Amino acid sequence: MRSFIILFCLIPTLLFARQSQLKTLLEQAIKGKKAEIGIAVIIDGKDTVTVNNDIHYPLMSVFKFHQAVALADYMDKKKLPLGTLLSIKKSDLKPNTYSPLRDQFPQGGFEMSIADLLKYTLQQSDNNACDILFNYQGGPDSVNRYIQSLGIRDCEITHTENDMHEDLDLCYSNWSTPLAAAKLLEIFRRKTLFDEAYKDFIYQTMVECQTGQDRLVAPLLDKGVTVGHKTGTGDFNAKGQQIGCNDIGFVLLPNGHAYSIAVFVKDSAESSLENSKIIADISRIVYKYVIRTTK
């Protein structure tokens, strides 16, 4: 009995030591980088490691995941199918913003299902599709209220993609801590928020994400894992710094373990390629750590 008590008391100490080891590895990886870099990792729903979590990081297009989760709740309450059609006018297809949707259908005047619009936002990070969905579901404020209703407090979404395009400073008003983003991933994956049809669709759409293959996904392509993620990429501010280069995602390992990870790179004087590499290097470190400690 005494041996059992001693072992039981040692478990928190061992877990803390393991988490401290990962934290040290991550801090070493970002040391000397000309950017503010925030990281959060939640392993198997409980072991949590953060680095520089006390900073507000611009979400950029990462908030399209938040939007999708809030939209699923909105549609579930109204019992609307993902095949629901929305009318898209030419005025919805703003110029001078990233939009494969506009490039494919420049004249507007057509209908598209919410499912297809979500594919544009989550897989291709389409800004016009994002704002079309914002208009449908009640704007950024409705998304913000829903995310906060889930207990996610260190996050705020107040502006559309078009707002940010017209005033770059507004990019900083849509913000999150890394841990808040990782927690939202965990809530989405582990809890029943709405009908499974919506959840499964968002989940699979994220797994099939086409953007940011040089970020979280890069070191995992040949590992036999399942990765669902959402990137965010900002323009450059008046100082010549990239406002944000982000990626958040969940990783399911063949051994049955899983983790959520969020990496935000803010106001970076590094190149865009280097910012993506920073995220890939962090992803590699976390993957190797989790594999080593969950055998």
Side-chain angles (χ1 to χ4, degrees), residues 3-19:
S3 298
F4 174 79
I5 293 173
I6 293 172
L7 179 60
F8 182 79
C9 292
L10 281 174
I11 288 174
T13 302
L14 292 172
L15 288 174
F16 178 77
R18 284 170 50 188
Q19 293 166 13

Side-chain angles (χ1 to χ4, degrees), residues 127-185:
N127 293 336
N128 282 322
C130 175
D131 283 355
I132 290 167
L133 291 175
F134 267 142
N135 289 336
Y136 172 73
Q137 67 191 116
D141 287 344
S142 67
V143 174
N144 196 58
R145 285 194 301 272
Y146 177 70
I147 297 303
Q148 295 206 352
S149 77
L150 299 177
I152 305 296
R153 303 299 183 190
D154 293 329
C155 172
E156 190 162 330
I157 299 169
T158 57
H159 295 289
T160 66
E161 286 285 0
N162 189 59
D163 291 338
M164 292 188 290
H165 179 73
E166 292 183 346
D167 182 354
L168 282 181
D169 287 341
L170 295 181
C171 294
Y172 296 96
S173 297
N174 291 336
W175 63 268
S176 177
T177 63
L179 184 56
K183 283 182 176 179
L184 182 60
L185 288 164

Side-chain angles (χ1 to χ4, degrees), residues 57-67 98 118-127 130 161 164 174 181 185 202 205-218 227-235 242 244-250 261-265 272 275-277 279-280 283:
Y57 296 88
L59 279 161
M60 309 314 305
S61 287
V62 164
F63 79 167
K64 290 167 183 165
F65 169 62
H66 300 60
Q67 178 190 43
Y98 180 74
L118 278 171
K119 286 183 179 180
Y120 271 102
T121 61
L122 291 174
Q123 292 182 350
Q124 300 186 60
S125 215
D126 192 294
N127 293 336
C130 175
E161 286 285 0
M164 292 188 290
N174 291 336
L185 288 164
I202 295 171
T205 303
M206 291 180 70
V207 168
E208 297 170 359
C209 180
Q210 299 173 18
T211 60
Q213 295 296 299
D214 56 348
R215 298 182 194 176
L216 288 179
V217 176
V227 185
H229 72 121
K230 182 68 197 81
T231 58
T233 305
D235 290 324
Q242 188 170 18
C245 181
N246 313 323
D247 205 356
I248 70 169
F250 51 82
I261 178 172
V263 185
F264 292 92
V265 181
S272 296
N275 291 331
S276 292
K277 183 178 181 299
I279 296 174
S283 179

Side-chain angles (χ1 to χ4, degrees), residues 18-124:
R18 284 170 50 188
Q19 293 166 13
S20 295
Q21 182 186 30
L22 177 56
K23 184 179 179 74
T24 298
L25 290 171
L26 294 172
E27 288 173 339
Q28 290 172 345
I30 65 175
K31 186 177 181 180
K33 301 298 183 184
K34 294 175 288 185
E36 293 182 292
I37 302 170
I39 308 165
V41 183
I42 303 175
I43 305 169
D44 290 333
K46 54 184 186 297
D47 295 347
T48 302
V49 176
T50 64
V51 176
N52 297 330
N53 191 59
D54 57 345
I55 296 171
H56 292 183
Y57 296 88
L59 279 161
M60 309 314 305
S61 287
V62 164
F63 79 167
K64 290 167 183 165
F65 169 62
H66 300 60
Q67 178 190 43
V69 175
L71 177 60
D73 174 76
Y74 177 84
M75 297 186 71
D76 188 48
K77 284 182 168 61
K78 293 180 175 293
K79 304 302 178 188
L80 295 170
L82 285 163
T84 299
L85 295 173
L86 298 185
S87 296
I88 299 173
K89 307 181 294 294
K90 186 172 183 177
S91 59
D92 294 322
L93 303 173
K94 302 291 192 298
N96 303 318
T97 190
Y98 180 74
S99 179
L101 176 66
R102 179 205 57 234
D103 295 344
Q104 189 170 0
F105 305 104
Q107 297 305 313
F110 62 95
E111 292 185 328
M112 181 168 284
S113 70
I114 288 176
D116 285 339
L117 286 167
L118 278 171
K119 286 183 179 180
Y120 271 102
T121 61
L122 291 174
Q123 292 182 350
Q124 300 186 60

